Amino acid sequence: MYQVYIIYSTSKDRYYIGSTSVGIETRLKRHNEGWTRSTKNGVPWELKFVHSYPTKSEALVRERFIKNQKSRAFIETLIGSPENNLD
């Protein structure tokens, strides 16, 4: 299973969109431990959105779609949508 996720840094007031196959808890922990160069300076990160996909290609298509919107308003609407699997 593959997951697309959005995390938020309160210290930087920005969102990061990514995908993973290792599990969302593991991936979030790695972000907060500084494993990823692009998120190292935003610690701590909070999980705001996660959605699962059966294939890697589906997850990558969705990740790219979200990133291509280049819109904070779109991201914040997505976070509040029924598609979000955080509940």
Side-chain angles (χ1 to χ4, degrees), residues 6-79:
I6 299 173
I7 54 178
Y8 176 73
S9 167
T10 54
S11 64
K12 295 288 185 183
D13 188 32
R14 75 179 190 97
Y15 292 98
Y16 175 87
I17 300 125
S19 60
T20 185
S21 63
V22 299
I24 196 63
E25 294 84 14
T26 301
R27 191 69 185 111
L28 181 60
K29 183 179 179 201
R30 289 178 182 175
H31 280 295
N32 282 321
E33 290 175 347
W35 284 39
T36 306
R37 184 183 307 175
S38 61
T39 60
K40 184 183 269 188
N41 293 325
V43 173
W45 291 92
E46 301 170 6
L47 183 63
K48 296 294 186 176
F49 174 89
V50 63
H51 191 79
S52 300
Y53 297 89
T55 67
K56 184 176 183 177
S57 61
E58 288 176 283
L60 292 175
V61 165
R62 183 65 171 157
E63 176 187 1
R64 180 64 43 212
F65 174 78
I66 295 168
K67 287 180 175 180
N68 284 340
Q69 299 309 302
K70 300 183 189 309
S71 168
R72 185 180 183 108
F74 177 82
I75 290 170
E76 290 174 348
T77 299
L78 188 60
I79 288 169

